[in-house]
Amino acid sequence: MPVPTAGRLLAIDWGEKRIGLAISDPSQTIAQPLATIVRRPGRRFPLKRLKTHLDSHRPVGIVIGLPLESDGSEGDSAGAAREVGALVAHKTGVAVTFWDERMTTARALRAVRDLEGVPRDRRGKVDQLSATVILQTYLDAKRP
C-alpha cells in the first residue's frame, strides 16, 4: 500500500537501544522531532508505545529509516528495519515506506552540537533529530 501524499507522516529512526520519532505537518512540508522510545534490552519492538503516538497524531503513513551499507547494499540492520516495518504495517494498518538513512545520525549530532547549551551526550534528542532528518529528506525528495 503506497504512502498517501496528504496528511501527517511519522518517521521512525529504528535502533536496538532507542527509537527516534518525528512527525510532519498535514501538508507534508515540514518535519519536526516528536519523541524517543527507549527499548529494554532483549525485548521485542515496543509496538504498544508506538501505537500511543499513532493514536495521538493519526499519521497516514510511516517512513522508516533504512540503514544501508556505504555501497548502498542491504545488510543485517536493513533486514531488521524491514522486519520492523512489516510488523508495524501489519499491526497498525498504516502504510509503511523505507528511506535511506545513511549519514542521518552524523547530521543530527552536528545539529545538537550547534545548539548552544545542549550537552553533546543527548542521545534521545539525537534519535529524534535523526528521525527528523530522515523524514525531511523524504519530504523534500517527494515534493514536485
Side-chain angles (χ1 to χ4, degrees), residues 11-30:
I12 298 174
D13 178 34
W14 179 84
E16 290 293 326
K17 295 180 182 178
R18 286 172 305 280
I19 299 162
L21 303 178
I23 193 81
S24 78
D25 63 315
S27 68
Q28 297 185 5
T29 305
I30 302 292

Side-chain angles (χ1 to χ4, degrees), residues 21 34-35 37 49-58:
L21 303 178
L34 179 61
I37 299 172
R49 287 186 275 161
L50 176 64
K51 281 186 174 181
T52 301
H53 295 286
L54 297 176
D55 292 344
S56 278
H57 297 282
R58 301 272 184 216

Side-chain angles (χ1 to χ4, degrees), residues 35-47:
T36 300
I37 299 172
V38 178
R39 295 185 67 178
R40 296 189 312 193
R43 304 294 292 209
R44 292 179 294 178
F45 183 83
L47 192 58

Side-chain angles (χ1 to χ4, degrees), residues 40-112:
R40 296 189 312 193
R43 304 294 292 209
R44 292 179 294 178
F45 183 83
L47 192 58
K48 187 175 181 180
R49 287 186 275 161
L50 176 64
K51 281 186 174 181
T52 301
H53 295 286
L54 297 176
D55 292 344
S56 278
H57 297 282
R58 301 272 184 216
V60 298
I62 297 172
V63 178
I64 297 180
L66 190 63
L68 299 175
E69 302 292 335
S70 58
D71 66 359
S73 65
E74 292 191 20
D76 293 341
S77 294
R82 287 198 183 276
E83 287 177 16
V84 166
L87 172 74
V88 170
H90 175 72
K91 295 289 187 180
T92 67
V94 178
V96 170
T97 193
F98 298 90
W99 194 251
D100 182 359
E101 71 167 27
R102 287 177 286 181
M103 302 304 294
T104 57
T105 300
R107 289 179 191 163
L109 281 168
R110 275 196 304 272
V112 167

